[in-house]
Amino acid sequence: MDYDRRQVTCPQGQVSRGWHGPYPTSSPTAAPLIVARFTKSQCHPCPARTQCTTSRESTRTVGFPPRELRDLQLRIRAEQQTPEWKTRYAVRSGVEGTVNEFAHGHGMRRCRYRGQGKVHLQHVLIAIAINIERLSGLPPTEEAPRSRRPTAFQTYLDQHEILRPKSWRTLGT
């Protein structure tokens, strides 16, 4: 793309005959496009035509952003190759995965209940369920879990050599 001469050169060496725009796009958030067109006399005899366009009748049309946006796009793409950017993005991609799991895996686009309190409770309970699900998928730890310290009552029973049944519910039977 040669912005100064307002022309585009294809891989086969043909130079575009028309340069129009920039045109606004249909989306209010999308960038405007410049359109460059090639003529039928350029495209039809070309041996690489099938790689450029699938249309039988029309010719190749190329759409691209204005120079300022193209330069910005190239600068940002180069920045995205740095280790610092990849480290920052790793955090975002982890969060986006979690949000995606909420929305698509657990139906969080729609709430079951009405009212802010009930909706909040639904969100909290689903978050707890997701955490339990993730924890259950972790490999077991190598260490055996530490046993809890005995309570003061259990220590008293042990000091006085009073047997402690496995379950206190079976005492009355």
Side-chain angles (χ1 to χ4, degrees):
M1 290 176 280
D2 186 348
Y3 285 95
D4 296 328
R5 292 187 189 159
R6 297 176 54 103
Q7 61 189 16
V8 175
T9 305
C10 82
Q12 298 298 316
Q14 296 291 329
V15 178
S16 65
R17 299 282 191 241
W19 178 288
H20 308 282
Y23 294 119
T25 55
S26 58
S27 171
T29 58
L33 282 179
I34 296 172
V35 177
R37 292 186 173 88
F38 293 88
T39 63
K40 285 185 180 181
S41 62
Q42 291 174 306
C43 287
H44 281 288
C46 181
R49 176 175 162 68
T50 56
Q51 297 169 355
C52 291
T53 183
T54 57
S55 173
R56 291 177 159 224
E57 297 300 319
S58 69
T59 59
R60 176 67 191 249
T61 304
V62 181
F64 50 92
R67 178 183 292 184
E68 301 80 28
L69 293 177
R70 178 76 176 145
D71 293 345
L72 176 66
Q73 189 178 49
L74 292 174
R75 192 181 86 237
I76 289 173
R77 285 181 181 167
E79 181 185 323
Q80 289 174 351
Q81 303 308 313
T82 63
E84 296 84 21
W85 187 90
K86 289 180 180 183
T87 303
R88 282 193 335 261
Y89 191 77
V91 174
R92 177 180 173 177
S93 66
V95 171
E96 285 183 359
T98 302
V99 170
N100 186 48
E101 183 179 354
F102 264 88
H104 295 102
H106 300 281
M108 292 303 295
R109 295 230 184 255
R110 294 187 182 249
C111 295
R112 291 176 172 240
Y113 310 103
R114 290 179 185 244
Q116 190 173 2
K118 292 178 187 177
V119 168
H120 176 70
L121 180 62
Q122 177 188 354
H123 291 176
V124 169
L125 291 175
I126 289 179
I128 291 170
I130 288 173
N131 287 337
I132 290 171
E133 186 177 61
R134 287 180 175 182
L135 286 172
S136 69
L138 292 177
T141 59
E142 298 299 324
E143 304 171 5
R146 291 182 285 144
S147 58
R148 294 187 303 182
R149 289 186 355 199
T151 63
F153 182 63
Q154 290 169 335
T155 305
Y156 173 81
L157 292 177
D158 292 342
Q159 287 173 350
H160 291 85
E161 298 178 359
I162 301 172
L163 290 175
R164 290 187 295 168
K166 294 256 184 208
S167 172
W168 291 98
R169 293 186 183 130
T170 58
L171 276 180
T173 57

